[in-house]
Amino acid sequence: MKIHEYQARDLLAKAGIPVPAARVVETAQEAEKAFEENGFPLQVVKAQVFAGGRGKAGFVKLVKSAAEARAAAEFMLTHRMVSVQTGPEGIAVNKILIAGAVDIAHEYYLGFVLDRDRSTVSMIASAEGGVEIETVAHERPAAIIKEPLHPLAGMQGFQARRTALALGFTGKQANTVADILLKLSRFFIDYDCSIAEINPLVLTKDGKILAIDAKVNFDDNALFRHPDVLALKDDAETDALEIRAAAANLNYIKLDGDIACLVNGAGLAMATMDVIQLHGGKPANFLDVGGGVKAEGAIEAFRIILSDKKVRGILVNIFGGIARCDLIAEALIQAGREVGFQVPVVVRLEGTNVEAARKILAASQGDLPTLQVAGDLNDAAKKIVSATR
Amino acid sequence: MSILVNKNTRVICQGITGSGGGAFHTRGCLDYGTKMVGGTSPGKGGTKDANGLPVFDTVDQAVRATGADATMIFVPPLFAADAICEAAAAGIKLIVAITEGIPVLDMVKAKKFLADFGTSVKLVGPNCPGVITPGECKIGIMPGYIHTPAQKGKKSVGIVSRSGTLTYEAVWQTTELGWSQSTCVGIGGDPVKGMDFIDVLELFQADPLTDAIVMIGEIGGAAEEAAAAYIKKAVTKPVVGFIAGRTAPPGKRMGHAGAIISGGEGTAESKIAAMRQAGIRVADSPADIGKCLHETTGG
C-alpha cells in the first residue's frame, strides 16, 4: 500500500525525524493562510498525488508570497494533472502540501528496502540524493552504500555511524544523520514497510539536516496489524474496476489491451497474458480468480472484465486442480446467460473432470453463440486473437 | 529415488481443524496415499479431526506420539511464521507452508530462526502448492492424479516452480508426452521464502531418478538469474524453463506478493536472457514446456 508524501512526512515527523514546517490544504484560501503560518520566505507548493511527473506538469511550484501560494493552489485544484504516468485524461488534485523551502548545500538519499537476495531488510544510502536512486545504482554503483540489517537485532548504532561518515558527514552532523538512520530503520520494522526512503535528505547552508521528501510503502500482508496505516489509504487514483474486484476477492489489474482474460492462479494468469501477446494480441487485464472459484465469483469476474469498454474478446483459461472443470463450465454458462456475451469468448479447460466440462459447453453452444472451445493454450490464444481482428 | 519426500515420509498438518482448509487437504493427501499421521490445533489437543486423525496442542506432542518428520502448514497468516518455527524446534525435518499472506518481516525472522538448524531442516514455501513425489507422497494442494509415478520405460522429470497452476501445466504436459515426474516442488510466490531454485536444483542434480529438470519462474527478484548461473556451473542434466510475466507492467504486484518489477529489476526479459545464456532452453509459450523438454532430451 502506498501513502501520500504529506502522510509519509507526518509519520516520519512522529518517528522523530526532522522535517521542515509544512501544512496540507484543500482550498486556495487555506494555501494563503498556510504560507503565512509556515513563516518561510520561500516555500514550495506540491500537489498530493501518487502519479509521478508532478514537476514537469507544473504541479510543484516555488512561491515567494502568500498570494503566489494562493494562485499556485488555485491552479492545481482546478486543473487535472497530466503527466507521462497519468494518461491523457489526467487526475484531479484534492490535497496540496505547502512546505518551507530551504537553502540546500547538499542532497543525500537514505532508504530501507526489503532485500530479497539476503532475506532481510537492507539500508541504502548515497551522497548523490535528489534523483532516482535506481539511476545512481545503475550508473555509479560505487556511489551506493549498503548495509544489510540483522533480521532479529535490526540496525545497529555502529552501522548507522559508519554510514554517516561514509556519506561525508563529520562531528555532530554525523551523529544527527546516524540518529535519523536508526529512527528510519525502526520505523520500517515497526510499521511493516516495504520501502521507507528519504529523498532528498538535505544539508542546508546554515548546517541543518532535514528530510525534504519521503516515500513510504507498506507490506499489504501486514496491514491487518496496522489499522492506523490502513486508515491512510486513498483509493482516489485506483481504477474503479480494481476496487470492485478487490471487494469480490478477485485479483484483477487493468491493462490497456483489448483481449480480456479470466484465469485461475497468478502464474498461469501472467502466462495467459504473455501467450495472448505472443500470438499478436494485447491483454486487457490480469485476472486470477483463485483456485476455489464458484459460479458467483466467476459471474462477478465476467461483469468486471466486460465493464472495460475496450474489451473485444475474452480468453478463459482454467487448469482444474482442486477446482473441477465441470463446475467451472457450469459457472461460465450461468455467467453467459446472466451477463450476456456480446464479444467472442474462447474457453480452454484442462484438468479435473474436463470431459464432463466439454460436454456441458458443447450442449450450450446454442445459448452462447460467441463461445468457442479451444484445445490447448496456444490454440486458445490463436482463436481469440483471430476472433477479435 | 526422489527428493524431499517418499513413501516413508510421515506427515502432520498444522492448522488441521482451522478454516484454512487443513482437514480438506489432509483428506486429499490421505486419498493419494500420503502417510498423514495427525495434526495440531492449539486448544483442541486430544480430539480427532474430520478424517479421524489425532489432534495435538503442539507439534512437539504430535512428533512424539506419531513419529512425524514432515508438516503441512495451513495456519492463518498471523500465526504461520510461529508455526514454522514451532515445527523446526520440534524436530520436523521438512516444513511445507501452504499459507498465503504471511507478513514478509515475519518470514525474515522465521528464516533466521531456521538458520540455527542448518540444512537439516528444510522449508518449502510459504504461499506454495507443496511437494509431491508421484505415487509415494503428496504434501499440499496439488491435484494428485495428473502426476505420473516413476516407472521402468518412462523418463522422469523434476519440476521446480514459483507458481502452482503453471506447475500443474508442466506436469500435465509431461505426463501427456509419456514422462513421469520424480518430484515436483512448488517453492512459492513470496519474496522471502524457504528453499529457492538453487536448493532444489542441487537435489535434482544429485537424485539418480531425475533425468531432466523443468524450472518455472516469474517476474520479481533475481532468483532465476542466480539459478541460471548455478546451472551453468553445477547442473549437468538437461534443464528447460519458462518465465511468466513478459507482459506485466512495472510496479504492479501480479497476484503473488513476490511478482513485481521494481526499479527496473526482476523483468522477464532479464531472466530469460540469463537462462538462455546458461544454455537453458526457455519456452516462449507455457503450452510448449513439455514439448521443449521432449525435444531437448531427444524424446
Side-chain angles (χ1 to χ4, degrees):
Chain A
M1 186 190 122
K2 289 179 188 170
I3 56 172
H4 288 293
E5 177 189 1
Y6 75 93
Q7 296 169 321
R9 279 175 55 103
D10 283 354
L11 289 175
L12 293 189
K14 270 186 212 150
I17 292 169
V19 295
R23 282 173 169 77
V24 180
V25 301
E26 293 180 23
T27 67
Q29 207 168 8
E30 286 171 8
E32 194 174 351
K33 196 162 151 244
F35 184 94
E36 279 157 10
E37 287 171 356
N38 281 341
F40 282 72
L42 187 65
Q43 301 191 22
V44 59
V45 179
K46 296 161 117 177
Q48 296 299 289
V49 292
F50 292 120
R54 288 183 302 182
K56 274 189 188 156
F59 282 70
V60 175
K61 274 194 182 138
L62 274 172
V63 294
K64 290 190 202 114
S65 68
E68 280 183 25
R70 182 188 180 116
E74 181 75 44
F75 172 82
M76 292 178 197
L77 292 166
T78 53
H79 291 77
R80 291 176 79 83
M81 181 185 118
V82 179
S83 80
V84 281
Q85 289 190 13
T86 62
E89 68 279 14
I91 46 170
V93 175
N94 300 315
K95 283 197 168 68
I96 288 173
L97 181 74
I98 300 177
V102 293
D103 265 342
I104 297 171
H106 196 93
E107 293 182 301
Y108 302 85
Y109 173 94
L110 303 180
F112 289 85
V113 291
L114 178 73
D115 185 339
R116 295 167 68 141
D117 295 338
R118 291 186 176 85
S119 292
T120 188
V121 177
S122 279
M123 178 216 76
I124 293 166
S126 178
E128 297 186 21
V131 291
E132 289 273 325
I133 196 66
E134 289 89 357
T135 314
V136 179
H138 188 69
E139 290 169 4
R140 285 179 304 286
I144 300 283
I145 303 163
K146 204 166 182 181
E147 287 275 359
L149 272 53
H150 188 282
L152 307 176
M155 190 172 212
Q156 298 301 296
F158 78 89
Q159 292 179 297
R161 290 192 295 275
R162 74 181 173 198
T163 301
L165 296 175
L167 288 170
F169 290 102
T170 54
K172 279 193 176 155
Q173 282 179 355
N175 290 348
T176 304
V177 171
D179 183 55
I180 290 172
L181 276 169
L182 286 170
K183 283 172 174 161
L184 189 60
S185 75
R186 247 172 264 139
F187 173 83
F188 185 103
I189 306 289
D190 290 348
Y191 279 91
D192 281 291
C193 295
S194 52
I195 296 174
E197 65 175 23
I198 299 172
N199 190 22
L201 178 85
V202 303
L203 174 63
T204 64
K205 287 190 176 148
D206 56 357
K208 282 198 198 100
I209 292 162
L210 291 167
I212 296 295
D213 198 351
K215 179 176 155 190
V216 176
N217 290 356
F218 301 93
D219 175 7
D220 290 337
N221 287 347
L223 287 174
F224 65 83
R225 59 186 174 207
H226 301 289
D228 50 338
V229 170
L230 204 51
L232 301 177
K233 194 173 167 90
D234 178 6
D235 274 336
E237 287 169 56
T238 310
D239 185 272
L241 291 178
E242 289 182 13
I243 295 171
R244 185 170 159 193
N249 263 327
L250 297 164
N251 224 324
Y252 170 88
I253 295 167
K254 192 161 175 275
L255 303 170
D256 52 12
D258 55 10
I259 298 177
C261 41
L262 186 158
V263 190
N264 67 331
L268 191 59
M270 265 187 277
T272 304
M273 288 162 41
D274 296 348
V275 87
I276 288 171
Q277 177 154 303
L278 188 69
H279 288 91
K282 257 196 123 191
N285 65 278
F286 166 92
L287 174 58
D288 167 17
V289 296
V293 64
K294 302 219 165 61
E296 215 173 292
I299 291 166
E300 177 68 357
F302 276 111
R303 281 197 203 110
I304 287 168
I305 55 185
L306 288 167
S307 308
D308 178 353
K309 294 298 164 218
K310 279 201 295 256
V311 167
R312 294 167 55 213
I314 304 174
L315 173 51
V316 177
N317 183 23
I318 302 285
F319 194 99
I322 298 307
R324 284 161 44 197
C325 287
D326 53 340
L327 285 183
I328 288 157
E330 273 164 13
L332 187 74
I333 287 158
Q334 204 181 322
R337 282 188 188 130
E338 192 160 321
V339 185
F341 294 148
Q342 306 298 322
V343 294
V345 179
V346 173
V347 185
R348 180 263 178 170
L349 294 169
E350 201 61 84
T352 311
N353 290 7
V354 69
E355 294 308 326
R358 291 204 177 121
K359 275 181 199 146
I360 292 167
L361 290 178
S364 66
Q365 285 278 275
D367 271 9
L368 302 169
T370 68
L371 191 112
Q372 296 181 64
V373 178
D376 69 11
L377 186 48
N378 284 338
D379 179 42
K382 277 180 208 152
K383 281 198 165 104
I384 193 65
V385 170
S386 80
T388 52
R389 279 274 155 79
Chain B
M1 258 184 61
S2 54
I3 67 166
L4 298 171
V5 296
N6 58 40
K7 59 182 188 300
N8 300 316
T9 306
R10 297 173 69 81
V11 188
I12 56 161
C13 175
Q14 284 170 265
I16 196 165
T17 63
S19 55
F24 175 79
H25 289 293
T26 294
R27 179 80 256 156
C29 295
L30 280 167
D31 290 345
Y32 193 74
T34 307
K35 287 198 173 69
M36 296 298 305
V37 294
T40 63
S41 186
K44 292 187 184 157
T47 62
K48 302 256 186 225
D49 92 315
N51 308 293
L53 292 176
V55 177
F56 302 89
D57 283 314
T58 69
V59 178
D60 190 51
Q61 290 167 357
V63 167
R64 273 185 281 149
T66 66
D69 53 7
T71 181
M72 171 167 84
I73 295 180
F74 281 94
V75 170
L78 176 56
F79 309 106
D82 173 26
I84 290 169
C85 295
E86 182 187 5
I92 293 281
K93 298 300 173 204
L94 177 69
I95 303 165
V96 180
I98 309 298
T99 307
E100 177 175 5
I102 304 178
V104 72
L105 290 183
D106 289 7
M107 279 312 302
V108 165
K109 292 188 186 108
K111 211 174 161 182
K112 184 68 183 169
F113 185 93
L114 292 191
D116 285 352
F117 297 85
T119 52
S120 72
V121 173
K122 291 187 164 62
L123 170 67
V124 175
N127 189 13
C128 79
V131 180
I132 182 169
T133 291
E136 297 195 22
C137 179
K138 161 180 132 94
I139 304 180
I141 60 176
M142 66 290 278
Y145 82 97
I146 62 174
H147 300 78
T148 308
Q151 54 205 271
K152 268 214 172 98
K154 273 186 192 285
K155 281 196 195 170
S156 206
V157 60
I159 300 176
V160 55
S161 169
R162 279 170 69 186
S163 150
T165 37
L166 277 175
T167 313
Y168 311 160
E169 283 284 344
V171 168
W172 182 263
Q173 290 170 28
T174 54
T175 286
E176 293 270 291
L177 287 166
W179 283 68
S180 64
Q181 297 84 31
S182 54
T183 303
C184 305
V185 187
I187 56 174
D190 273 10
V192 172
K193 54 177 164 286
M195 299 184 81
D196 216 322
F197 286 116
I198 292 176
D199 307 302
V200 181
L201 288 166
E202 190 182 352
L203 298 181
F204 278 143
Q205 172 66 21
D207 173 33
L209 182 68
T210 302
D211 298 308
I213 301 164
V214 168
M215 170 183 152
I216 300 170
E218 63 189 27
I219 54 162
E224 290 83 356
E225 286 89 334
Y230 176 82
I231 288 167
K232 198 169 182 180
K233 192 181 69 182
V235 177
T236 57
K237 295 179 180 178
V239 183
V240 302
F242 177 74
I243 300 292
R246 278 198 225 201
T247 49
K252 293 264 187 185
R253 222 166 273 281
M254 306 302 282
H256 289 152
I260 182 167
I261 299 167
S262 53
E265 289 189 353
T267 63
E269 285 70 25
S270 151
K271 293 167 192 300
I272 293 168
M275 288 166 76
R276 289 193 171 145
Q277 220 159 36
I280 301 163
R281 177 148 176 203
V282 182
D284 281 319
S285 163
D288 296 335
I289 298 169
K291 202 178 88 189
C292 282
L293 172 73
H294 214 51
E295 287 170 7
T296 303
T297 56

